[in-house]
Amino acid sequence: MDGDASEQAKVRRTRVVLGEVAARRPVPDPARADLAEQTPVGEALVKGLVRAQLALALRLSLVVLAGLGALPLLFTVAPAVGRAQLLGVNLPWLLLGVLSFPFLVSVGWAYVRWAERNEQDFTAVINRPEG
């Protein structure tokens, strides 16, 4: 029995005060709470992001449509341009078959870059300090 008493004397007790822990707890961000709870404000924030992404996609789709869709129209209106050759290759084949791919890749790169910027702006709105 004396062994148990000496072991208990060696054990150091720690006092836990719950009031101090609660005081250090961060204040919840209202914007994040709106998103998590799917309140009308959070829903409006998400709809704004979706609307921005859709507008970006539609604008860049118009760029692709104007850039690539105008070429067949150009070849129809000006047949001499359609018959032109560059380095022994017909210009329509060169423009539509070869140069269209770097154009599409660059539009895709621009879309990803601008879409990520939209998402960063959205995150900045959510993480902004209240005050």
Side-chain angles (χ1 to χ4, degrees), residues 66-113:
L68 295 180
L71 290 175
L73 181 63
L74 172 69
F75 301 144
T76 302
V77 172
V81 175
R83 288 189 300 269
Q85 289 192 350
L86 184 64
L87 302 171
V89 179
N90 288 340
L91 188 60
W93 279 101
L94 188 64
L95 291 175
L96 291 172
V98 176
L99 296 180
S100 63
F101 293 106
F103 173 69
L104 290 173
V105 167
S106 64
V107 169
W109 176 81
Y111 175 79
V112 168
R113 181 179 169 121

Short mmCIF file of all heavy atoms in Angstrom, two decimals, residues 66-113:
data_model
loop_
_atom_site.label_atom_id
_atom_site.label_comp_id
_atom_site.label_asym_id
_atom_site.label_seq_id
_atom_site.Cartn_x
_atom_site.Cartn_y
_atom_site.Cartn_z
N ALA A 66 -15.38 33.81 -83.00
CA ALA A 66 -15.00 34.87 -83.93
C ALA A 66 -13.68 34.56 -84.61
O ALA A 66 -13.52 34.79 -85.81
CB ALA A 66 -14.91 36.21 -83.19
N GLY A 67 -12.73 34.03 -83.85
CA GLY A 67 -11.41 33.75 -84.41
C GLY A 67 -11.41 32.62 -85.42
O GLY A 67 -10.83 32.74 -86.50
N LEU A 68 -12.03 31.52 -85.08
CA LEU A 68 -12.03 30.37 -85.98
C LEU A 68 -13.21 30.36 -86.94
O LEU A 68 -13.10 29.86 -88.06
CB LEU A 68 -12.00 29.07 -85.17
CG LEU A 68 -10.75 28.83 -84.35
CD1 LEU A 68 -10.85 27.51 -83.60
CD2 LEU A 68 -9.51 28.86 -85.21
N GLY A 69 -14.34 30.90 -86.51
CA GLY A 69 -15.53 30.91 -87.36
C GLY A 69 -15.44 31.91 -88.49
O GLY A 69 -16.08 31.75 -89.54
N ALA A 70 -14.64 32.94 -88.32
CA ALA A 70 -14.50 33.96 -89.36
C ALA A 70 -13.63 33.48 -90.52
O ALA A 70 -13.74 34.00 -91.63
CB ALA A 70 -13.93 35.23 -88.77
N LEU A 71 -12.78 32.50 -90.28
CA LEU A 71 -11.88 32.04 -91.34
C LEU A 71 -12.62 31.41 -92.52
O LEU A 71 -12.36 31.79 -93.67
CB LEU A 71 -10.84 31.08 -90.76
CG LEU A 71 -9.79 31.73 -89.85
CD1 LEU A 71 -8.89 30.67 -89.24
CD2 LEU A 71 -8.98 32.75 -90.61
N PRO A 72 -13.54 30.47 -92.32
CA PRO A 72 -14.28 29.95 -93.48
C PRO A 72 -15.08 31.03 -94.20
O PRO A 72 -15.18 31.01 -95.43
CB PRO A 72 -15.22 28.89 -92.88
CG PRO A 72 -14.55 28.48 -91.63
CD PRO A 72 -13.87 29.70 -91.11
N LEU A 73 -15.59 31.99 -93.43
CA LEU A 73 -16.30 33.11 -94.05
C LEU A 73 -15.34 33.93 -94.91
O LEU A 73 -15.69 34.33 -96.03
CB LEU A 73 -16.94 33.97 -92.97
CG LEU A 73 -17.76 35.16 -93.44
CD1 LEU A 73 -18.96 34.68 -94.25
CD2 LEU A 73 -18.21 35.99 -92.25
N LEU A 74 -14.14 34.17 -94.41
CA LEU A 74 -13.13 34.89 -95.17
C LEU A 74 -12.78 34.15 -96.45
O LEU A 74 -12.67 34.76 -97.52
CB LEU A 74 -11.87 35.09 -94.32
CG LEU A 74 -10.65 35.66 -95.04
CD1 LEU A 74 -10.90 37.12 -95.41
CD2 LEU A 74 -9.41 35.52 -94.18
N PHE A 75 -12.63 32.84 -96.37
CA PHE A 75 -12.28 32.06 -97.56
C PHE A 75 -13.41 32.05 -98.58
O PHE A 75 -13.17 31.93 -99.78
CB PHE A 75 -11.90 30.63 -97.16
CG PHE A 75 -10.73 30.56 -96.22
CD1 PHE A 75 -10.69 29.62 -95.22
CD2 PHE A 75 -9.67 31.44 -96.32
CE1 PHE A 75 -9.62 29.54 -94.34
CE2 PHE A 75 -8.60 31.38 -95.45
CZ PHE A 75 -8.58 30.43 -94.45
N THR A 76 -14.65 32.16 -98.11
CA THR A 76 -15.79 32.19 -99.02
C THR A 76 -15.91 33.56 -99.68
O THR A 76 -16.14 33.65 -100.89
CB THR A 76 -17.09 31.88 -98.25
OG1 THR A 76 -16.96 30.60 -97.64
CG2 THR A 76 -18.29 31.88 -99.17
N VAL A 77 -15.73 34.61 -98.91
CA VAL A 77 -15.88 35.97 -99.44
C VAL A 77 -14.70 36.33 -100.34
O VAL A 77 -14.88 36.99 -101.36
CB VAL A 77 -16.00 36.98 -98.27
CG1 VAL A 77 -15.95 38.41 -98.76
CG2 VAL A 77 -17.27 36.73 -97.49
N ALA A 78 -13.51 35.92 -99.97
CA ALA A 78 -12.31 36.20 -100.77
C ALA A 78 -11.69 34.88 -101.20
O ALA A 78 -10.78 34.36 -100.53
CB ALA A 78 -11.34 37.03 -99.95
N PRO A 79 -12.14 34.31 -102.30
CA PRO A 79 -11.62 33.01 -102.74
C PRO A 79 -10.11 33.01 -103.01
O PRO A 79 -9.47 31.97 -102.87
CB PRO A 79 -12.39 32.71 -104.02
CG PRO A 79 -13.54 33.64 -104.04
CD PRO A 79 -13.20 34.80 -103.17
N ALA A 80 -9.56 34.16 -103.36
CA ALA A 80 -8.12 34.22 -103.62
C ALA A 80 -7.34 33.92 -102.33
O ALA A 80 -6.28 33.28 -102.39
CB ALA A 80 -7.74 35.59 -104.16
N VAL A 81 -7.85 34.32 -101.19
CA VAL A 81 -7.19 34.02 -99.92
C VAL A 81 -7.27 32.52 -99.65
O VAL A 81 -6.32 31.92 -99.14
CB VAL A 81 -7.84 34.83 -98.77
CG1 VAL A 81 -7.24 34.43 -97.42
CG2 VAL A 81 -7.68 36.32 -98.99
N GLY A 82 -8.37 31.90 -100.02
CA GLY A 82 -8.53 30.47 -99.82
C GLY A 82 -7.62 29.65 -100.71
O GLY A 82 -7.31 28.51 -100.38
N ARG A 83 -7.21 30.23 -101.84
CA ARG A 83 -6.33 29.50 -102.77
C ARG A 83 -4.85 29.82 -102.52
O ARG A 83 -3.98 29.20 -103.12
CB ARG A 83 -6.69 29.84 -104.20
CG ARG A 83 -8.00 29.23 -104.66
CD ARG A 83 -8.21 29.40 -106.16
NE ARG A 83 -8.26 30.82 -106.55
CZ ARG A 83 -9.37 31.55 -106.62
NH1 ARG A 83 -10.53 31.01 -106.33
NH2 ARG A 83 -9.32 32.81 -106.98
N ALA A 84 -4.57 30.76 -101.64
CA ALA A 84 -3.18 31.16 -101.39
C ALA A 84 -2.42 30.01 -100.74
O ALA A 84 -2.99 29.18 -100.03
CB ALA A 84 -3.15 32.38 -100.49
N GLN A 85 -1.12 29.99 -101.03
CA GLN A 85 -0.25 28.97 -100.45
C GLN A 85 0.89 29.61 -99.69
O GLN A 85 1.40 30.67 -100.09
CB GLN A 85 0.30 28.06 -101.54
CG GLN A 85 -0.74 27.15 -102.15
CD GLN A 85 -0.12 26.08 -103.01
OE1 GLN A 85 1.08 26.11 -103.30
NE2 GLN A 85 -0.93 25.12 -103.44
N LEU A 86 1.27 28.99 -98.61
CA LEU A 86 2.39 29.44 -97.80
C LEU A 86 3.27 28.23 -97.52
O LEU A 86 2.81 27.25 -96.92
CB LEU A 86 1.88 30.06 -96.49
CG LEU A 86 2.92 30.67 -95.57
CD1 LEU A 86 3.58 31.87 -96.25
CD2 LEU A 86 2.29 31.11 -94.27
N LEU A 87 4.50 28.28 -97.97
CA LEU A 87 5.44 27.17 -97.83
C LEU A 87 4.91 25.89 -98.48
O LEU A 87 5.11 24.79 -97.97
CB LEU A 87 5.77 26.91 -96.36
CG LEU A 87 6.37 28.08 -95.57
CD1 LEU A 87 6.44 27.73 -94.10
CD2 LEU A 87 7.75 28.43 -96.11
N GLY A 88 4.21 26.05 -99.59
CA GLY A 88 3.68 24.91 -100.32
C GLY A 88 2.42 24.30 -99.72
O GLY A 88 1.96 23.26 -100.18
N VAL A 89 1.86 24.92 -98.69
CA VAL A 89 0.64 24.41 -98.04
C VAL A 89 -0.46 25.46 -98.24
O VAL A 89 -0.21 26.65 -98.09
CB VAL A 89 0.88 24.18 -96.53
CG1 VAL A 89 -0.37 23.69 -95.85
CG2 VAL A 89 2.04 23.22 -96.31
N ASN A 90 -1.65 24.96 -98.58
CA ASN A 90 -2.77 25.88 -98.74
C ASN A 90 -3.02 26.63 -97.43
O ASN A 90 -2.98 26.04 -96.34
CB ASN A 90 -4.04 25.13 -99.15
CG ASN A 90 -3.98 24.63 -100.57
OD1 ASN A 90 -3.18 25.13 -101.38
ND2 ASN A 90 -4.80 23.66 -100.89
N LEU A 91 -3.29 27.94 -97.54
CA LEU A 91 -3.48 28.78 -96.36
C LEU A 91 -4.63 28.29 -95.47
O LEU A 91 -4.48 28.28 -94.24
CB LEU A 91 -3.70 30.24 -96.79
CG LEU A 91 -3.72 31.26 -95.68
CD1 LEU A 91 -2.41 31.25 -94.91
CD2 LEU A 91 -4.01 32.64 -96.23
N PRO A 92 -5.77 27.87 -96.03
CA PRO A 92 -6.83 27.36 -95.14
C PRO A 92 -6.39 26.16 -94.31
O PRO A 92 -6.70 26.06 -93.12
CB PRO A 92 -7.96 26.97 -96.09
CG PRO A 92 -7.74 27.81 -97.30
CD PRO A 92 -6.26 27.98 -97.41
N TRP A 93 -5.64 25.23 -94.90
CA TRP A 93 -5.15 24.08 -94.15
C TRP A 93 -4.18 24.52 -93.06
O TRP A 93 -4.21 23.99 -91.94
CB TRP A 93 -4.44 23.10 -95.09
CG TRP A 93 -5.39 22.23 -95.82
CD1 TRP A 93 -5.80 22.36 -97.11
CD2 TRP A 93 -6.08 21.09 -95.30
NE1 TRP A 93 -6.69 21.38 -97.42
CE2 TRP A 93 -6.88 20.58 -96.32
CE3 TRP A 93 -6.09 20.45 -94.07
CZ2 TRP A 93 -7.69 19.47 -96.16
CZ3 TRP A 93 -6.88 19.34 -93.91
CH2 TRP A 93 -7.68 18.86 -94.95
N LEU A 94 -3.35 25.48 -93.39
CA LEU A 94 -2.38 25.95 -92.41
C LEU A 94 -3.07 26.65 -91.24
O LEU A 94 -2.76 26.38 -90.07
CB LEU A 94 -1.39 26.89 -93.09
CG LEU A 94 -0.19 27.33 -92.27
CD1 LEU A 94 0.68 26.13 -91.95
CD2 LEU A 94 0.61 28.36 -93.05
N LEU A 95 -4.04 27.51 -91.55
CA LEU A 95 -4.72 28.25 -90.49
C LEU A 95 -5.63 27.37 -89.65
O LEU A 95 -5.61 27.44 -88.42
CB LEU A 95 -5.52 29.41 -91.10
CG LEU A 95 -4.70 30.55 -91.69
CD1 LEU A 95 -5.62 31.57 -92.35
CD2 LEU A 95 -3.84 31.22 -90.64
N LEU A 96 -6.46 26.58 -90.31
CA LEU A 96 -7.44 25.77 -89.58
C LEU A 96 -6.87 24.46 -89.04
O LEU A 96 -7.31 23.97 -88.01
CB LEU A 96 -8.65 25.46 -90.46
CG LEU A 96 -9.53 26.67 -90.80
CD1 LEU A 96 -10.57 26.29 -91.84
CD2 LEU A 96 -10.17 27.22 -89.56
N GLY A 97 -5.88 23.91 -89.73
CA GLY A 97 -5.35 22.61 -89.32
C GLY A 97 -4.15 22.67 -88.41
O GLY A 97 -3.90 21.73 -87.65
N VAL A 98 -3.39 23.76 -88.47
CA VAL A 98 -2.17 23.82 -87.68
C VAL A 98 -2.22 24.96 -86.65
O VAL A 98 -2.03 24.74 -85.46
CB VAL A 98 -0.93 23.99 -88.60
CG1 VAL A 98 0.34 24.15 -87.79
CG2 VAL A 98 -0.81 22.81 -89.55
N LEU A 99 -2.48 26.16 -87.11
CA LEU A 99 -2.42 27.32 -86.22
C LEU A 99 -3.62 27.43 -85.29
O LEU A 99 -3.58 28.19 -84.33
CB LEU A 99 -2.26 28.60 -87.04
CG LEU A 99 -0.95 28.69 -87.83
CD1 LEU A 99 -0.89 29.99 -88.61
CD2 LEU A 99 0.25 28.58 -86.91
N SER A 100 -4.68 26.68 -85.56
CA SER A 100 -5.84 26.75 -84.67
C SER A 100 -5.54 26.12 -83.30
O SER A 100 -6.09 26.56 -82.29
CB SER A 100 -7.05 26.06 -85.30
OG SER A 100 -6.80 24.69 -85.51
N PHE A 101 -4.66 25.14 -83.27
CA PHE A 101 -4.37 24.47 -82.00
C PHE A 101 -3.62 25.36 -81.01
O PHE A 101 -4.01 25.43 -79.84
CB PHE A 101 -3.64 23.15 -82.24
CG PHE A 101 -4.52 22.14 -82.93
CD1 PHE A 101 -4.33 21.84 -84.27
CD2 PHE A 101 -5.54 21.51 -82.25
CE1 PHE A 101 -5.16 20.93 -84.91
CE2 PHE A 101 -6.37 20.61 -82.88
CZ PHE A 101 -6.18 20.32 -84.22
N PRO A 102 -2.57 26.08 -81.42
CA PRO A 102 -1.96 27.02 -80.47
C PRO A 102 -2.93 28.11 -80.03
O PRO A 102 -2.90 28.55 -78.88
CB PRO A 102 -0.79 27.62 -81.25
CG PRO A 102 -0.48 26.64 -82.31
CD PRO A 102 -1.77 25.97 -82.64
N PHE A 103 -3.82 28.53 -80.93
CA PHE A 103 -4.84 29.52 -80.58
C PHE A 103 -5.77 28.96 -79.49
O PHE A 103 -6.03 29.64 -78.49
CB PHE A 103 -5.64 29.91 -81.83
CG PHE A 103 -6.81 30.79 -81.55
CD1 PHE A 103 -6.64 32.10 -81.12
CD2 PHE A 103 -8.09 30.31 -81.72
CE1 PHE A 103 -7.74 32.90 -80.87
CE2 PHE A 103 -9.19 31.11 -81.47
CZ PHE A 103 -9.01 32.42 -81.04
N LEU A 104 -6.23 27.73 -79.67
CA LEU A 104 -7.13 27.12 -78.67
C LEU A 104 -6.42 26.89 -77.34
O LEU A 104 -7.01 27.08 -76.27
CB LEU A 104 -7.70 25.81 -79.21
CG LEU A 104 -8.70 25.95 -80.36
CD1 LEU A 104 -9.05 24.58 -80.91
CD2 LEU A 104 -9.93 26.68 -79.89
N VAL A 105 -5.16 26.50 -77.39
CA VAL A 105 -4.39 26.30 -76.16
C VAL A 105 -4.22 27.62 -75.42
O VAL A 105 -4.36 27.69 -74.20
CB VAL A 105 -3.02 25.63 -76.46
CG1 VAL A 105 -2.09 25.70 -75.25
CG2 VAL A 105 -3.22 24.20 -76.89
N SER A 106 -3.94 28.69 -76.17
CA SER A 106 -3.77 29.99 -75.51
C SER A 106 -5.08 30.50 -74.92
O SER A 106 -5.09 31.07 -73.82
CB SER A 106 -3.18 31.02 -76.48
OG SER A 106 -4.08 31.26 -77.53
N VAL A 107 -6.20 30.25 -75.58
CA VAL A 107 -7.50 30.64 -75.02
C VAL A 107 -7.78 29.80 -73.77
O VAL A 107 -8.27 30.32 -72.76
CB VAL A 107 -8.63 30.50 -76.07
CG1 VAL A 107 -10.00 30.65 -75.43
CG2 VAL A 107 -8.46 31.53 -77.17
N GLY A 108 -7.47 28.52 -73.81
CA GLY A 108 -7.66 27.66 -72.64
C GLY A 108 -6.78 28.10 -71.48
O GLY A 108 -7.22 28.12 -70.33
N TRP A 109 -5.54 28.47 -71.76
CA TRP A 109 -4.64 28.95 -70.72
C TRP A 109 -5.19 30.23 -70.09
O TRP A 109 -5.17 30.38 -68.86
CB TRP A 109 -3.26 29.19 -71.31
CG TRP A 109 -2.30 29.78 -70.34
CD1 TRP A 109 -1.58 29.14 -69.38
CD2 TRP A 109 -1.95 31.16 -70.23
NE1 TRP A 109 -0.81 30.03 -68.68
CE2 TRP A 109 -1.03 31.28 -69.19
CE3 TRP A 109 -2.33 32.30 -70.92
CZ2 TRP A 109 -0.48 32.50 -68.81
CZ3 TRP A 109 -1.79 33.52 -70.54
CH2 TRP A 109 -0.88 33.60 -69.50
N ALA A 110 -5.68 31.14 -70.95
CA ALA A 110 -6.25 32.40 -70.44
C ALA A 110 -7.47 32.12 -69.58
O ALA A 110 -7.66 32.75 -68.53
CB ALA A 110 -6.61 33.32 -71.61
N TYR A 111 -8.31 31.16 -70.01
CA TYR A 111 -9.50 30.84 -69.22
C TYR A 111 -9.11 30.33 -67.82
O TYR A 111 -9.67 30.78 -66.82
CB TYR A 111 -10.37 29.80 -69.91
CG TYR A 111 -11.52 29.38 -69.04
CD1 TYR A 111 -12.64 30.19 -68.92
CD2 TYR A 111 -11.47 28.22 -68.30
CE1 TYR A 111 -13.69 29.85 -68.08
CE2 TYR A 111 -12.51 27.86 -67.45
CZ TYR A 111 -13.62 28.68 -67.36
OH TYR A 111 -14.65 28.34 -66.50
N VAL A 112 -8.16 29.43 -67.78
CA VAL A 112 -7.75 28.87 -66.48
C VAL A 112 -7.18 29.97 -65.59
O VAL A 112 -7.51 30.06 -64.41
CB VAL A 112 -6.73 27.72 -66.67
CG1 VAL A 112 -6.08 27.33 -65.36
CG2 VAL A 112 -7.40 26.53 -67.31
N ARG A 113 -6.36 30.82 -66.16
CA ARG A 113 -5.75 31.91 -65.38
C ARG A 113 -6.82 32.85 -64.83
O ARG A 113 -6.79 33.22 -63.66
CB ARG A 113 -4.76 32.65 -66.27
CG ARG A 113 -4.05 33.76 -65.59
CD ARG A 113 -3.08 34.41 -66.56
NE ARG A 113 -2.58 35.63 -65.99
CZ ARG A 113 -1.30 35.88 -65.77
NH1 ARG A 113 -0.41 34.96 -66.08
NH2 ARG A 113 -0.92 37.02 -65.26
#
